[in-house]
Amino acid sequence: MAGRTDEQHRIALFIDFENLVTNTGISANNFDLQPALDQLLEQGKVVFRRAYCNWSRFEDAKQRLHDVGVELVDVPPSTRAGKNSADMRLVIDALELCYAREQIDTFVIASGDSDFCPLAYKLRENGRTVIGLAVREASSQMFVRACDQFIYMKPKHRGESSHKDKEHGGRGAKGDEGKGGKRGGKGHDKGHDAKAEGKGGKPRAEVPAVAREVVQSLLRRATGPLNPSLIKETIVRKEPDFDERDHGFSTFARLLEALEQEGLLRRIQQGRQGYIVSPDSDFGAPAHEGKGGKGRHGKAPAPAVEEEEEELESYPDPEDEGL
């Protein structure tokens, strides 16, 4: 579903809070849901927000969650060992919402626990899109693969960083360690993933193999230009946790630009919309000047005008018919 702009998704968010703050690098006093919530809001309306746990253990996080409109469901311990049934409550509520509210088409399960795999399978079986949300190091790959898409949260390594980030507008070195807050952007790109950074702190852009495979496969079967969002959706279906920023690209368009430089595709422009075609295709105007000056932007509308004129000529003039 990544990149879809043709419809407004209605999203339900279910948070297994204890899972997100246990051995993940995130604690109750520095838990910040807003960066992940911002990513969800780019895909649609988050109309349902609920978090489950024994809240007597995590008092420091309650106000933060209230501030972003999350309903807190208190699940007290059900055993002497202190174990609660938050997982069960979450599953029951998610399935109940699935059957009772057909307009909610996307379910976000904020947990990295593989115990939620059956829930993800059942939701997808009922035609819902499932997005996982958790810290990378604490996420089961079984659960990642069970989802349609997976978003990784970034732990902040210093407990007071979130407070200082807000005071400084989310700028500076500490703000770059997380997702960048509401403003995101440059701060997020710089600190997104250590494996994509060079010695100087700059990301090393490297095209992932899955992107090459998907582009080549889609272009072989394509009968016309491809929308870039289709390529992104296909990659995410194969790798739910795919994020171009992990590979040093600030946007998916930058990744497509790198693929074009490798000669695997050609970007063209039709009006305000960009499309992807095979490198040897002569369809449409390129996004930049092609070899020999062919296919400049000014020549792109010509075929469409000729088609319109042919269609108009196919209808007889009433005056010629003597009417």
Side-chain angles (χ1 to χ4, degrees):
M1 67 178 286
R4 292 183 63 173
T5 57
D6 57 333
E7 61 184 67
Q8 187 74 268
H9 295 283
R10 292 186 176 273
I11 303 171
L13 171 62
F14 292 86
I15 303 173
D16 178 11
F17 188 80
E18 186 172 355
N19 179 272
L20 297 183
V21 297
T22 302
N23 301 322
T24 62
I26 297 177
S27 62
N29 62 357
N30 69 8
F31 183 82
D32 187 8
L33 183 64
Q34 190 62 55
L37 193 59
D38 287 341
Q39 293 190 54
L40 297 177
L41 290 172
E42 292 175 0
Q43 304 189 34
K45 294 181 179 180
V46 184
V47 298
F48 185 97
R49 309 174 187 189
R50 186 173 289 180
Y52 302 77
C53 84
N54 177 13
W55 291 109
S56 63
R57 296 180 54 198
F58 304 104
E59 292 287 343
D60 295 340
K62 294 172 68 174
Q63 187 58 49
R64 291 173 177 270
L65 291 168
H66 278 305
D67 290 343
V68 292
V70 176
E71 177 187 356
L72 305 183
V73 178
D74 188 35
V75 187
S78 56
T79 66
R80 291 183 179 180
K83 183 176 178 59
N84 61 39
S85 54
D87 294 6
M88 185 64 70
R89 286 285 302 275
L90 190 157
V91 170
I92 291 173
D93 287 355
L95 290 176
E96 183 180 71
L97 192 68
C98 173
Y99 293 121
R101 300 287 186 269
E102 293 185 0
Q103 68 271 24
I104 296 180
D105 61 350
T106 303
F107 284 71
V108 180
I109 304 173
S111 176
D113 195 341
S114 60
D115 289 346
F116 289 108
C117 287
L119 173 61
Y121 296 145
K122 180 58 67 173
L123 290 172
R124 296 176 68 180
E125 180 183 325
N126 281 274
R128 304 303 199 271
T129 297
V130 178
I131 301 176
L133 174 65
V135 177
R136 182 188 297 271
E137 292 76 11
S139 300
S140 165
Q141 281 301 305
M142 289 181 60
F143 183 55
V144 171
R145 298 299 178 186
C147 298
D148 294 293
Q149 181 184 350
F150 209 93
I151 298 173
Y152 288 119
M153 300 180 68
K154 290 295 176 182
K156 292 184 177 180
H157 300 291
R158 298 183 182 180
E160 298 180 357
S161 61
S162 58
H163 295 287
K164 294 182 179 179
D165 291 347
K166 292 181 180 179
E167 293 174 1
H168 293 82
R171 300 176 184 176
K174 291 182 180 179
D176 292 342
E177 291 178 5
K179 287 250 181 180
K182 290 185 179 181
R183 300 187 182 183
K186 296 180 180 179
H188 175 79
D189 295 336
K190 290 181 180 179
H192 184 75
D193 197 341
K195 71 178 181 180
E197 293 182 356
K199 294 181 179 179
K202 296 182 180 180
R204 294 194 302 268
E206 184 177 350
V207 178
V210 65
R212 293 191 182 92
E213 294 171 2
V214 167
V215 165
Q216 292 173 336
S217 176
L218 290 178
L219 288 177
R220 276 198 302 268
R221 295 180 282 118
T223 58
L226 298 176
N227 193 310
S229 64
L230 173 63
I231 297 175
K232 178 68 177 286
E233 289 175 7
T234 305
I235 294 174
V236 171
R237 280 198 295 270
K238 297 188 72 172
E239 291 191 6
D241 58 346
F242 173 82
D243 191 331
E244 60 274 3
R245 291 168 293 189
D246 287 341
H247 304 279
F249 298 96
S250 58
T251 64
F252 190 67
R254 296 289 187 186
L255 175 57
L256 293 177
E257 182 180 351
L259 287 169
E260 184 178 32
Q261 293 174 356
E262 292 185 5
L264 296 179
L265 57 84
R266 184 164 63 90
R267 296 176 298 158
I268 65 173
Q269 192 75 23
Q270 292 186 343
R272 295 183 178 180
Q273 177 64 49
Y275 292 93
I276 303 300
V277 296
S278 60
D280 56 349
S281 171
D282 58 356
F283 190 93
H288 53 78
E289 182 178 346
K291 296 181 180 180
K294 294 182 181 180
R296 295 179 181 269
H297 288 285
K299 296 182 180 180
V305 172
E306 293 177 1
E307 291 177 3
E308 283 187 14
E309 292 177 353
E310 291 176 2
E311 290 182 359
L312 290 174
E313 290 175 359
S314 64
Y315 293 93
D317 190 334
E319 295 182 359
D320 294 340
E321 297 290 330
L323 298 177

